């Protein structure tokens, strides 16, 4: 009878007390200079037969388990950081013990004794409500997944459709929005907005392995991936759940596997002659009429459910005009009025706008009890990251960024007023900032709420926009510095050059 005990690989770390998560500072226990050693090994060259993509796919496991590939894979995992898995070992611990772990892992992969560990399930809130389940593999397992991804991606990447933009090298939201703009400019006025329900949880394992086998001849790789897919999930309450379908979000290999599954949908849309843009499980198909859109929705729904064995999310899918479609946080639409008429514009979607307003409230609470500088520093950190993504807005949609700037300044002025606590203290503070007697008195003693008084001349003179320019990130100014101004036309049609 076979032993039912888990055959997961148990790696031995350096003999030193285990650190509790969040406890203690400093380096993880391990060998000194391990990170430098990893960097040196990662720069090594793989042998020609392992790096050649034209030499067949019958010995892929040797490529996966090569020392330089494993070193580069761990370096990528360390760069992404991330939480520990079920075994509790952190990324820092694995890196510090890489000299002993790497040869052990290489041997386990080549002789077939490597077994993926269980996956830790965590729940994170979705922006639109509800929860999304993430699967966090052990760091060792993320290391192996990244090593596999590095070998498989060059094989599959050239075969993917050009309209697929999610989780691909040199592609992303920017290229997806750019392609959507071209479709709108060509006159496609209706969008079939498809969203696949719980895609990562419902991927059919057999279909996925079948798609992999079309280009991967090494059965050992297929068996390795199959074991990764079947790894049990440990729920937050400690319950272990067997997995029969899905690729858990959270591992480095999942994005590539998702594109391999949905590549079949891409080429089916191409075969039918549809123009589309897909980013992960969000797909927009562009047609010229509402009737054509409904017909496409019905036929593609049947293909997804019968052929791919997935399910369309009816609540989030629709046939609509571009200005009503939320795609990657934006609305791509044709301008209709003013100087933007006849030009394709990129605006924030309604959901993105609502999330931003909510986030501003969270970053600038009325009861802020620390220094204003700390509040501004926290806001600046968030705004820099937010603008780095949403700078894709065009001039027609950037007006909203200007409104955000004004809203944030007003909330900061409200915090300043509230921190003075008493009206007479606020009055003295405004006077010390050079505000006139009547304006300071009106702002401090007026029988209205703080929100109303935060836009009165007294507080605005004490803390003008110029004061905030030196301290606070301006979304609109940052957007304007990255986006060239649109040329203006004179009444006679001639181009006006900027002064």
């Amino acid at each position: 009878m076979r032993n039912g005990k888990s055959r997961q690989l148990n790696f031995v770390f350096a003999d030193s007390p285990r650190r509790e998560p969040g406890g203690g500072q400093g380096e993880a226990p391990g060998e000194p200079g391990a990170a430098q050693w990893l960097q040196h090994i990662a720069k090594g060259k793989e042998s020609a037969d392992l790096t050649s993509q034209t030499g067949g796919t019958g010995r892929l496991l040797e490529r996966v388990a090569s020392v330089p590939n494993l070193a580069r894979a761990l370096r990528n995992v360390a760069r992404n950081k991330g939480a520990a898995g079920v075994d509790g070992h952190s990324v820092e611990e694995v890196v510090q013990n890489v000299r002993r772990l790497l040869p052990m892992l290489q041997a386990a992969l080549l002789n077939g004794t490597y077994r993926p560990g269980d996956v830790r399930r965590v729940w994170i809130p979705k922006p639109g409500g509800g929860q999304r389940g993430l699967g966090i593999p052990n760091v060792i397992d993320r290391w192996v997944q990244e090593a596999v991804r590095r070998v498989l991606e060059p094989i599959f990447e050239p075969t993917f459709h050009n309209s697929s933009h999610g989780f691909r090298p040199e592609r992303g939201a920017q290229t997806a929005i750019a392609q959507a703009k071209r479709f709108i400019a060509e006159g496609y006025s209706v969008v079939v907005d498809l969203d696949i329900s719980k895609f990562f949880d419902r991927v059919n394992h057999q279909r996925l392995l079948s798609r992999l086998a079309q280009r991967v001849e090494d059965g050992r790789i297929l068996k390795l991936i199959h074991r990764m897919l079947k790894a049990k999930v440990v729920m937050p309450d400690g319950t272990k759940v067997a997995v029969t379908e899905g690729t858990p979000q959270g591992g480095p290999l999942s994005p590539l596997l998702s594109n391999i599954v949905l590549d079949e949908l891409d080429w089916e849309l191409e075969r039918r002659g549809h123009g589309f843009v897909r980013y992960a499980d969000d797909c927009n198909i562009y047609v010229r009429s509402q009737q054509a859109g409904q017909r496409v929705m019905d036929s593609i729904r049947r293909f997804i459910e019968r052929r791919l064995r997935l399910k369309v999310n009816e609540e989030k899918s629709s046939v609509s005009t571009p200005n009503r479609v939320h795609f990657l946080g934006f609305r791509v639409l044709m301008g209709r009025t003013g100087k933007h008429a006849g030009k394709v514009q990129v605006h924030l979607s309604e959901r993105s706008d609502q999330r931003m307003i909510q986030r501003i409230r969270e970053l600038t609470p009325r009861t802020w009890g620390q220094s204003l500088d700390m509040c501004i520093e926290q806001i600046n950190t968030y705004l820099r990251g937010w603008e780095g993504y949403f700078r894709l807005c065009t001039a027609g949609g950037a007006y909203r960024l200007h409104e955000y700037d004004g809203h944030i300044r007003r909330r900061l002025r409200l915090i300043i007023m509230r921190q003075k606590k008493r009206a007479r203290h606020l009055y003295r503070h405004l006077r010390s900032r050079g505000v006139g007697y009547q304006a300071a008195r009106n702002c401090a003693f007026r029988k209205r709420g703080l929100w109303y008084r935060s836009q009165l001349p007294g507080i605005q003179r004490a803390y003008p926009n110029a004061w905030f320019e030196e301290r606070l990130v301006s979304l609109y100014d940052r957007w304007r510095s990255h986006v060239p101004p649109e040329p203006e036309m004179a009444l006679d049609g001639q181009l006006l050059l900027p002064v």
Side-chain angles (χ1 to χ4, degrees):
M1 180 181 294
R2 293 186 61 183
N3 187 0
K5 186 178 179 180
S6 173
R7 297 178 60 194
Q8 295 171 11
L9 195 59
N10 183 22
F11 290 108
V12 180
F13 287 77
D15 295 330
S16 58
R18 282 290 311 279
R19 297 178 305 153
E20 294 297 327
Q25 300 292 330
E27 269 194 356
E31 300 178 4
Q36 292 77 5
W37 182 84
L38 177 64
Q39 291 288 347
H40 174 73
I41 296 300
K43 294 178 182 178
K45 294 183 178 180
E46 297 174 293
S47 60
D49 61 326
L50 296 182
T51 58
S52 173
Q53 299 299 326
T54 60
T57 59
R59 297 182 63 242
L60 289 185
L61 188 61
E62 281 71 21
R63 299 186 199 175
V64 170
S66 67
V67 171
N69 184 59
L70 288 175
R72 290 166 189 161
L74 180 56
R75 186 177 60 180
N76 291 347
V77 171
R79 187 181 296 122
N80 293 333
K81 299 180 181 179
V86 174
D87 64 3
H89 291 301
S90 66
V91 174
E92 291 78 12
E93 284 182 283
V94 174
V95 170
Q96 290 301 318
N97 290 275
V98 64
R99 291 195 184 189
R100 68 176 67 187
L101 292 178
L102 193 149
M104 293 171 61
L105 180 59
Q106 182 186 41
L109 288 170
L110 292 176
N111 62 31
T113 59
Y114 167 78
R115 295 294 184 274
D118 297 334
V119 177
R120 181 164 68 93
R121 172 73 77 190
V122 296
W123 299 98
I124 61 173
K126 287 184 178 181
Q131 291 184 317
R132 175 182 289 113
L134 293 184
I136 302 180
N138 295 329
V139 177
I140 294 289
D141 299 327
R142 298 209 295 270
W143 183 3
V144 175
Q145 287 192 29
E146 175 64 14
V148 174
R149 183 202 66 79
R150 283 177 44 81
V151 171
L152 292 187
E153 189 172 78
I155 297 173
F156 285 93
E157 175 62 29
T159 69
F160 290 152
H161 198 281
N162 286 333
S163 293
S164 168
H165 299 269
F167 312 123
R168 296 184 61 187
E170 300 181 4
R171 289 172 179 262
Q174 185 171 3
T175 57
I177 295 299
Q179 187 175 23
K181 289 171 65 177
R182 289 197 293 272
F183 283 123
I184 300 299
E186 291 172 5
Y188 292 92
S189 56
V190 175
V191 180
V192 180
D193 183 17
L194 277 173
D195 183 89
I196 300 178
S197 177
K198 298 181 179 180
F199 167 70
F200 286 92
D201 296 331
R202 290 177 172 167
V203 170
N204 184 276
H205 290 174
Q206 291 304 317
R207 285 198 58 79
L208 171 57
L209 293 171
S210 175
R211 295 284 295 178
L212 285 166
Q214 293 177 8
R215 297 189 179 277
V216 175
E217 299 174 4
D218 194 335
R220 298 170 297 173
I221 290 291
L222 299 177
K223 185 179 292 186
L224 175 62
I225 294 175
H226 186 247
R227 287 171 178 161
M228 292 176 180
L229 295 173
K230 293 295 184 181
K232 291 184 178 180
V233 174
V234 179
M235 306 302 287
D237 61 359
T239 306
K240 284 189 179 182
V241 179
V243 175
T244 58
E245 60 182 2
T247 61
Q249 288 180 272
L253 190 58
S254 292
L256 176 61
L257 297 182
S258 69
N259 275 332
I260 291 173
V261 171
L262 292 177
D263 186 58
E264 189 172 359
L265 171 63
D266 296 342
W267 289 107
E268 176 66 18
L269 292 172
E270 169 75 16
R271 186 186 68 81
R272 299 185 185 192
H274 297 312
F276 69 96
V277 182
R278 182 179 66 80
Y279 191 101
D281 56 343
D282 289 331
C283 182
N284 281 0
I285 307 171
Y286 296 86
V287 295
R288 298 185 184 274
S289 69
Q290 190 78 14
Q291 185 179 6
Q294 194 59 55
R295 188 169 58 248
V296 169
M297 170 69 85
D298 295 338
S299 63
I300 294 300
R301 181 193 292 112
R302 288 194 297 270
F303 176 84
I304 290 174
E305 295 180 353
R306 296 177 183 178
R307 183 71 177 272
L308 302 184
R309 301 179 189 176
L310 297 169
K311 188 172 180 60
V312 172
N313 189 328
E314 299 293 344
E315 292 183 0
K316 294 184 178 180
S317 300
S318 63
V319 179
S320 184
T321 54
N323 63 312
R324 295 182 178 179
V325 173
H326 169 98
F327 185 56
L328 303 179
F330 299 95
R331 289 181 297 133
V332 184
L333 63 152
M334 184 66 73
R336 297 190 178 186
T337 60
K339 64 180 181 180
H340 304 303
K343 298 179 182 177
V344 180
Q345 297 296 309
V346 180
H347 292 201
L348 295 176
S349 71
E350 184 178 349
R351 274 187 275 172
S352 296
D353 181 64
Q354 292 173 352
R355 293 172 196 166
M356 184 57 170
I357 293 297
Q358 178 60 31
R359 188 62 180 142
I360 290 174
R361 291 197 189 102
E362 294 169 355
L363 292 171
T364 56
R366 293 183 175 216
T367 56
W368 180 262
Q370 303 180 56
S371 70
L372 188 69
D373 288 341
M374 290 187 65
C375 185
I376 291 176
E377 181 181 354
Q378 181 176 286
I379 295 170
N380 286 344
T381 300
Y382 179 78
L383 294 183
R384 290 189 187 100
W386 189 92
E387 189 274 337
Y389 179 81
F390 285 101
R391 71 176 55 155
L392 299 179
C393 286
T394 54
Y399 73 93
R400 192 61 177 137
L401 308 185
H402 190 68
E403 293 175 351
Y404 291 151
D405 288 338
H407 186 61
I408 293 170
R409 289 193 298 266
R410 185 173 178 181
R411 291 191 65 86
L412 289 173
R413 292 185 182 112
L414 184 149
I415 290 175
I416 294 171
M417 296 173 65
R418 188 176 182 85
Q419 288 186 339
K420 299 308 171 186
K421 296 184 178 180
R422 296 183 181 275
R424 64 177 182 271
H425 296 163
L426 175 60
Y427 171 77
R428 292 168 188 167
H429 178 72
L430 295 178
R431 292 288 285 158
S432 70
R433 299 279 305 175
V435 180
Y437 167 80
Q438 188 60 43
R441 183 176 180 81
N442 190 38
C443 183
F445 296 107
R446 192 163 185 175
K447 299 300 182 181
R448 296 293 296 268
L450 282 175
W451 180 244
Y452 174 84
R453 289 185 286 146
S454 64
Q455 48 86 39
L456 291 178
I459 190 66
Q460 291 201 10
R461 291 171 189 170
Y463 294 92
N465 292 354
W467 186 87
F468 287 103
E469 286 177 4
E470 301 174 357
R471 299 165 176 82
L472 183 66
V473 167
S474 168
L475 290 174
Y476 184 76
D477 288 346
R478 285 178 67 89
W479 172 85
R480 194 169 53 182
S481 68
H482 290 106
V483 178
E486 294 184 357
E488 296 186 7
M489 305 295 292
L491 294 178
D492 59 1
Q494 292 185 351
L495 186 67
L496 295 178
L497 297 178
V499 179

